[in-house]
Amino acid sequence: MKKSYFIYSESELKRKDNTLQIKTVDGVKKDIPIETISDIYVMTEMTFNTSLINLLSQYGIIIHFFNYYNFYNGSYYPREKNVSGRLLVNQVEHYTDENKRLILAKEFVLGATDGILRNMRYYNERGRDLKEQVSQINELKRLIEKQKNVQELMGIEGNIHKIYYKTWNDIINQEIDFEKRVKRPPDNIINTLISYVNSMIYTIVLSQIYITQLNPTISYLHVPSTKRFSLALDIAEIFKPLIGDRMIFSLLNKLQISEKHFIKELNGLQLTKQGSMIISKEFDDRLSRTVKHKNLGKDVSYRYLIRLEAYKLIKHLIGEKEYQSFRLWW
């Protein structure tokens, strides 16, 4: 099974024959078989050359870069090999046609909302008393299908998240005083965690989209624009509650992450290297977990579930099967 590799030590990444070699500034070397790599996360200073880039391009491996403050900087996205002019035309058509775009945008919001409700019901059943908030979000969920355009839909989505985030003070055992989502810069522990983890979700979605024939710049809920792969933002909405938020709740409630893993910087509250490493390991572990797929009849990883979401979208775009966003069945 392929996995993500996280590089935290200042090092040189180079090609050795037909594999990768990491050499730290202390001279420690580690060889990694290229066939075992899903994608690479660079969380520190790193040097590499064109020989390495050629190898990564050959095997279709994306590198995601994060800066000193654990902010996502961007990705090296190899030249696409799986391309389809027909699919690209269909992608564009489903964006330019407002009705077709709205159908997909609603599914992304419905998938995200289902994940949010699952999380809230889970903790409500464990004594958090979230019945009122669950009821409020269910009311908003019923309004999703009635929205006439994407702008109205985004308003409903925003209201759902406002209610959801207010329950985090009850879900999380630590004293967090979390009232609203603040991104630039994150101003407390929860906002810092959400920003970092959401970036991780976005990057893994992008890595899985790359394997398919989808163009990652053409999206439906988010507006396509420059300097971002907005389709990854669309699909990430579905998996944030199911992978990202659940991981945050678990790490905080088990005291694996606490105040000691944060430091106040000019750019707001930032994760320490230790905190970032704890989260990255847990993130990769969760992506490697498997479940019995109800349709495929075999065990698949969470990472592969994300890729399947992209394949489902392709079937919708080519008219083979109507898209329904991911819902937990277990």
Side-chain angles (χ1 to χ4, degrees), residues 1-2 22 28 47 65 86 94 125 128 146 148 157-158 161 165 168 186 213 238 264 268 274 284 288 303 315:
M1 181 183 296
K2 292 187 177 183
I22 300 175
V28 178
T47 59
F65 296 95
R86 175 193 173 198
H94 279 74
E125 292 169 0
R128 299 304 202 273
K146 298 179 181 180
K148 303 300 182 183
E157 183 200 33
H161 276 90
Y165 284 140
W168 285 36
Q213 294 179 320
I238 302 167
K264 187 70 176 177
Q274 182 189 19
D284 193 52
S288 298
R303 180 182 276 105
K315 288 184 177 181

Side-chain angles (χ1 to χ4, degrees), residues 24 41 45 62 66-67 78 85 98 104-105 129 172 228 242 249-250 270 281 328:
T24 68
Y41 288 77
E45 296 290 328
I62 296 178
F66 287 71
N67 67 14
E98 286 293 330
L104 290 172
D129 191 16
I172 296 167
R228 67 177 185 177
L242 300 175
F249 299 153
S250 176
Q270 305 299 331
K281 182 181 184 307
L328 274 177

Side-chain angles (χ1 to χ4, degrees), residues 40 48 61 93 142 188 190 195-196 206 211 243 250 289:
I40 299 171
F48 54 89
I61 296 173
E93 179 189 350
R142 281 188 276 272
N188 57 38
I190 301 302
S195 292
Y196 180 60
L206 179 60
I211 297 170
I243 299 176
S250 176
R289 292 178 184 176

Side-chain angles (χ1 to χ4, degrees), residues 193-280:
L193 283 173
I194 293 174
S195 292
Y196 180 60
V197 172
N198 282 356
S199 293
M200 304 292 279
I201 300 288
Y202 167 81
T203 54
I204 195 65
V205 171
L206 179 60
S207 292
Q208 295 305 304
I209 289 175
Y210 175 78
I211 297 170
T212 75
Q213 294 179 320
L214 286 168
N215 186 301
T217 65
I218 302 171
S219 54
Y220 306 98
L221 178 61
H222 296 84
V223 178
S225 63
T226 58
K227 300 182 180 179
R228 67 177 185 177
F229 298 106
S230 50
L231 183 60
L233 295 174
D234 281 1
I235 298 176
E237 291 296 329
I238 302 167
F239 293 97
K240 286 176 185 177
L242 300 175
I243 299 176
D245 297 350
R246 288 185 173 200
M247 181 176 70
I248 291 173
F249 299 153
S250 176
L251 289 170
L252 289 172
N253 287 341
K254 292 179 180 178
L255 301 181
Q256 293 171 271
I257 292 290
S258 61
E259 286 186 5
K260 70 179 182 180
H261 296 109
F262 298 83
I263 185 171
K264 187 70 176 177
E265 298 278 3
L266 293 176
N267 289 329
L269 197 67
Q270 305 299 331
L271 275 164
T272 63
K273 179 180 178 181
Q274 182 189 19
S276 176
M277 291 177 71
I278 290 171
I279 294 169
S280 299

Side-chain angles (χ1 to χ4, degrees), residues 17 34 66 68 83 103 105 120 183 204 238 271 293 315:
D17 298 326
I34 194 76
F66 287 71
Y68 171 80
V83 295
I103 288 171
M120 293 173 67
K183 300 180 182 180
I204 195 65
I238 302 167
L271 275 164
H293 197 280
K315 288 184 177 181

